[in-house]
Amino acid sequence: MTFLEKLKSQILIGDGAMGTLLYTFGKDSCLEELNLSHPEKIKEIHKAYIDAGADVIQTNTYAANYLKLQRYGLEDSVKAINSAAVRNAKLAVQQNAYVLGTVGGNRGIKPSALSIEELKRSFREQLYCLLLEGVDGILLETFYDLEELETVLAIARKETKLPIIAQVSLQEPDILQDQTPINEAFTRLENLGADVIGLNCRLGPHHMLKSLEQIELPKNAYLSAFPNASLPAYTDGIFHYEGDSDYFKKSAQSFRQQGVRLIGGCCGTTPAHIQGFASELKNSVPVTEKIVKLKTKKIIIEHSAAKRDLQPLEEIVKERTSVIVELDTPRKLDTSKFFEGAKALKEAGIDAITMADNSLAQVRISNESLGYLVKQELGMRPLIHIACRDRNVIGLQSHLMGLHTLGMHDVLAITGDPARVGDFPGASSVYDVSSFELIQMIKQLNEGLSFSGKDLGQKTAFSIAGAFNPNVRSVEKAVKRLEKKIEYGADYFISQPVFSEEKLIEVYEHTKHLNAPIYIGLMPLTGSRNAEFLHNEVPGIKISQTIRDRMAALSDQPLQAAREGIEITKSLIDTALDLFNGIYLITPFLRYELTTELAIYARQRASQVRGNIYVESSIK
């Protein structure tokens, strides 16, 4: 009797985790390679699950694809590993169980990290290897990204008539990470030809059952569930699971009541967990009717945009000339000079004071804390830079929720300089997400949804700036990045400093088609050494030879050199105001008197050039 024929009339028991039982080989070893180097161990684990009551065995091929094997230098061993895995499984089952060729998902929280074309190539190679060895079906498991699963499912359905099991993994019960409701996702997978659709990984029995309560019985497919043993614990550098196998046994009938016909285990499960399921469900009759009380996904909105203290910068800069100024938070604990500068810049009438997020990976006082004090004590708008370098996605979301709670709604999403260039070269650079994905996630918060799709109860009201580096060989390519950031949700842009009229004109010509406004970056040079350092050592900054020569001519006259830097920047402001509404002044070395003078000059010139009535933007 075929696999699908059996599922028509009875519940089948799947196996449990393979990696959990192979962890003794070391957390950094390639568990799929053990199909070749330790086949007896793999067969031993398969046999243990069959002895526990499993009707279905998965091949040890979850990560046996080109994209994942290349981490271990094994990208040329895809065929050898997958073929050995199927042979090991078949020798272990001896026709006492069905063998499913397992293919795992590649995309995680960063879908854009892997293109669809890369995924297709990698998947096809692994799929063909499994099919050539004569598996009884294909198991697609642990797919967080629905687009990836739909893509590979469509390929698999075209290439084989064998049964296909398609399983998604949820960050939150009821909903995928792209906010697709689980019922809708299952309908789409069934329509693409999946014979069995289900859930695996991430959730234990409790939350997986809560999710299954929202799932209707498919019209033509069957349901599967492979829960984790528990949430993982982390002790002495090792992940481990503490789920009780008796707990699985107690939950077994609940899975049956939710319409599950294929049930097994994922991370942390052992033959004891599978024996618990088998003792309750093996050969039992599945349910054919189920009442589902669908929950309506309702977000309770307190429309935060109505609570904003100020008009968003992207709206201001479309209406008139707008000047914002970056003032670095101090590297030491004395904040007196910082607040002197902030007060002076307020008197100069700037629209926002921007604060970097440990730029050049150098440790400074938190921009969040000083941003709040600037807002509360001086009535200024803080624009907070957020780097992907220092926080994982948990920290990023928490940080943003904190900014929202403190009433700071203006942010600049940046990748951030790598840790190795800064104060602590041995520190880790996190980079869970890129600036593109961070922009997208912040936009998601504005819809009232967490990064993982969870209802936040209200919407945030962030105005999102994207970074722009025009100091590159191809401005055209840089503008393509801007267009992509607009697609991801950027409202406006803030550029790296520009040091020539020619570059200003070039940037304008390449960006004038964009709907998102640009604050063009300008930075007064303080001397020749400053100019040479910026040009030669700071990523994203280039200064023309002409300007460097002008500064070099005054290398032994520091006051005159600083004055020359001011005059150069004023000349750039003159050109910039003919092309852009937004001026972004960067304060060097906390020398706020330089950017204060330039901010006043920019306002005056704007009034002369455009007849602007410059409106004070301080919080009243």
Side-chain angles (χ1 to χ4, degrees):
M1 189 178 296
T2 68
F3 172 73
L4 289 179
E5 286 172 341
K6 271 205 173 181
L7 277 183
K8 286 180 182 178
S9 58
Q10 67 184 66
I11 291 175
L12 294 182
I13 308 300
D15 58 4
M18 175 65 75
T20 299
L21 303 182
L22 292 174
Y23 209 50
T24 53
F25 283 89
K27 62 181 180 180
D28 295 321
S29 64
C30 177
L31 303 184
E32 287 73 22
E33 189 280 332
L34 299 176
N35 288 303
L36 297 171
S37 60
H38 293 77
E40 293 306 317
K41 181 64 177 178
I42 304 301
K43 286 184 277 189
E44 177 188 318
I45 293 172
H46 287 323
K47 288 175 183 176
Y49 280 119
I50 293 169
D51 291 343
D55 303 301
V56 179
I57 293 296
Q58 307 171 53
T59 57
N60 179 34
T61 53
Y62 168 75
N65 62 64
Y66 178 91
L67 295 172
K68 289 184 175 176
L69 289 177
Q70 65 181 342
R71 303 172 189 171
Y72 305 96
L74 295 170
E75 61 269 29
D76 294 329
S77 301
V78 173
K79 185 179 189 302
I81 290 173
N82 281 275
S83 298
V86 178
R87 290 196 295 270
N88 290 336
K90 284 187 171 184
L91 287 170
V93 304
Q94 294 293 318
Q95 298 183 343
N96 293 317
Y98 299 104
V99 174
L100 300 179
T102 297
V103 179
N106 288 283
R107 283 180 168 180
I109 194 93
K110 299 193 292 184
S112 63
L114 293 170
S115 71
I116 286 296
E117 289 308 311
E118 286 179 291
L119 295 169
K120 285 180 178 178
R121 285 194 295 271
S122 180
F123 173 70
R124 282 194 174 98
E125 181 182 21
Q126 186 180 9
L127 175 66
Y128 296 153
C129 294
L130 295 171
L131 293 177
L132 284 171
E133 291 297 329
V135 292
D136 297 309
I138 297 295
L139 172 63
L140 308 174
E141 63 147 334
T142 320
F143 282 80
Y144 287 94
D145 185 74
L146 185 58
E147 181 188 29
E148 179 186 9
L149 179 53
E150 289 180 314
T151 299
V152 299
L153 172 56
I155 293 171
R157 187 72 291 164
K158 184 178 179 180
E159 297 295 330
T160 182
K161 293 182 180 179
L162 289 174
I164 300 175
I165 299 93
Q167 296 185 151
V168 299
S169 298
L170 307 178
Q171 300 282 6
E172 299 287 343
D174 306 340
I175 193 165
L176 275 71
Q177 68 178 23
D178 68 352
Q179 287 77 63
T180 303
I182 188 62
N183 235 352
E184 179 188 330
F186 275 18
T187 299
R188 285 160 58 172
L189 295 173
E190 184 180 7
N191 290 339
L192 283 170
D195 299 291
V196 181
I197 46 183
L199 305 173
N200 83 287
C201 206
R202 179 77 174 92
L203 307 177
H206 174 80
H207 287 106
M208 193 165 284
L209 283 166
K210 295 289 286 184
S211 296
L212 287 165
E213 288 172 3
Q214 297 300 303
I215 296 171
E216 298 166 319
L217 291 179
K219 294 178 181 178
N220 301 306
Y222 303 120
L223 290 180
S224 65
F226 283 66
N228 279 1
S230 64
L231 293 173
Y234 189 70
T235 307
D236 297 329
I238 297 175
F239 286 102
H240 59 94
Y241 294 82
E242 299 178 346
D244 188 343
S245 58
D246 191 51
Y247 177 55
F248 264 50
K249 180 178 180 180
K250 291 175 183 176
S251 69
Q253 289 299 332
S254 296
F255 279 102
R256 175 183 175 273
Q257 290 162 14
Q258 293 304 322
V260 172
R261 297 195 186 207
L262 173 62
I263 186 166
C266 204
C267 299
T269 57
T270 65
H273 293 86
I274 299 308
Q275 188 173 31
F277 276 155
S279 65
E280 289 289 313
L281 297 177
K282 193 172 179 70
N283 299 322
S284 60
V285 178
V287 300
T288 55
E289 294 183 1
K290 174 183 174 184
I291 298 174
V292 177
K293 295 180 180 178
L294 292 174
K295 290 189 290 188
T296 302
K297 189 74 175 175
K298 184 178 180 182
I299 299 173
I300 302 169
I301 301 298
E302 294 176 15
H303 204 294
S304 302
K307 294 184 178 181
R308 286 190 62 112
D309 299 302
L310 298 168
Q311 182 184 13
L313 285 171
E314 66 269 20
E315 294 180 9
I316 290 174
V317 75
K318 286 180 179 179
E319 296 172 359
R320 61 167 172 81
T321 299
S322 174
V323 179
I324 61 176
V325 179
E326 178 175 318
L327 190 67
D328 278 339
T329 59
R331 299 188 66 182
K332 296 183 178 180
L333 294 175
D334 182 359
T335 61
S336 55
K337 188 171 183 180
F338 173 85
F339 281 102
E340 284 174 15
K343 289 173 185 175
L345 289 166
K346 179 185 178 182
E347 291 172 6
I350 67 170
D351 284 302
I353 182 168
T354 89
M355 284 160 277
D357 192 6
N358 298 324
S359 60
L360 296 179
Q362 294 178 343
V363 179
R364 296 179 178 276
I365 295 176
S366 154
N367 58 7
E368 179 182 23
S369 59
L370 289 194
Y372 180 72
L373 292 175
V374 160
K375 180 177 185 290
Q376 291 298 109
E377 296 181 10
L378 302 182
M380 299 180 75
R381 180 203 302 260
L383 195 163
I384 306 298
H385 300 201
I386 302 175
C388 300
R389 176 195 58 236
D390 298 331
R391 306 172 189 87
N392 63 15
V393 289
I394 299 169
L396 285 170
Q397 180 175 315
S398 176
H399 182 50
L400 285 157
M401 291 171 73
L403 291 174
H404 166 79
T405 302
L406 294 172
M408 292 187 282
H409 305 293
D410 299 278
V411 295
L412 168 65
I414 59 172
T415 300
D417 304 298
R420 66 176 180 271
V421 308
D423 295 332
F424 299 96
S428 300
S429 294
V430 181
Y431 299 129
D432 267 4
V433 293
S434 69
S435 57
F436 295 102
E437 289 139 353
L438 179 57
I439 290 168
Q440 187 177 48
M441 289 172 170
I442 299 172
K443 215 66 176 178
Q444 192 167 304
L445 297 181
N446 283 355
E447 295 301 316
L449 297 171
S450 73
F451 291 178
S452 61
K454 190 174 183 178
D455 182 353
L456 289 176
Q458 63 176 243
K459 294 181 179 180
T460 60
F462 289 112
S463 172
I464 310 165
F468 169 38
N469 179 17
N471 301 307
V472 290
R473 187 171 298 173
S474 172
V475 174
E476 225 171 86
K477 287 183 179 179
V479 172
K480 292 291 182 187
R481 289 177 61 84
L482 299 193
E483 291 169 347
K484 184 177 177 181
K485 288 182 180 181
I486 291 172
E487 289 175 15
Y488 276 70
D491 297 305
Y492 64 103
F493 295 101
I494 298 175
S495 90
Q496 289 272 34
V498 173
F499 290 94
S500 75
E501 282 83 0
E502 292 79 11
K503 178 61 72 173
L504 287 170
I505 294 168
E506 182 186 15
V507 170
Y508 171 75
E509 290 299 329
H510 281 85
T511 62
K512 62 185 179 182
H513 66 286
L514 299 178
N515 291 325
I518 295 173
Y519 279 87
I520 198 73
L522 301 172
M523 180 179 182
L525 298 170
T526 59
S528 180
R529 290 179 63 184
N530 174 226
E532 293 299 329
F533 171 75
L534 291 172
H535 176 75
N536 291 292
E537 297 193 39
V538 177
I541 295 181
K542 292 298 174 187
I543 302 172
S544 71
Q545 187 64 53
T546 302
I547 289 179
R548 283 153 51 212
D549 287 344
R550 286 173 65 179
M551 300 307 293
L554 298 168
S555 57
D556 57 348
Q557 302 173 63
L559 293 179
Q560 289 88 335
R563 193 70 242 161
E564 184 71 7
I566 287 282
E567 295 307 315
I568 289 170
T569 309
K570 284 182 178 180
S571 177
L572 292 171
I573 289 172
D574 291 343
T575 302
L577 287 175
D578 289 333
L579 306 171
F580 301 96
N581 264 12
I583 301 295
Y584 166 51
L585 299 173
I586 302 163
T587 307
F589 313 116
L590 275 177
R591 293 185 62 176
Y592 60 85
E593 71 279 2
L594 305 180
T595 43
T596 298
E597 179 179 341
L598 291 169
I600 294 170
Y601 178 81
R603 290 184 57 191
Q604 292 171 345
R605 288 291 293 151
S607 297
Q608 295 169 7
V609 173
R610 297 177 183 150
N612 283 178
I613 300 174
Y614 203 94
V615 181
E616 293 289 349
S617 64
S618 298
I619 300 171
K620 305 300 182 185

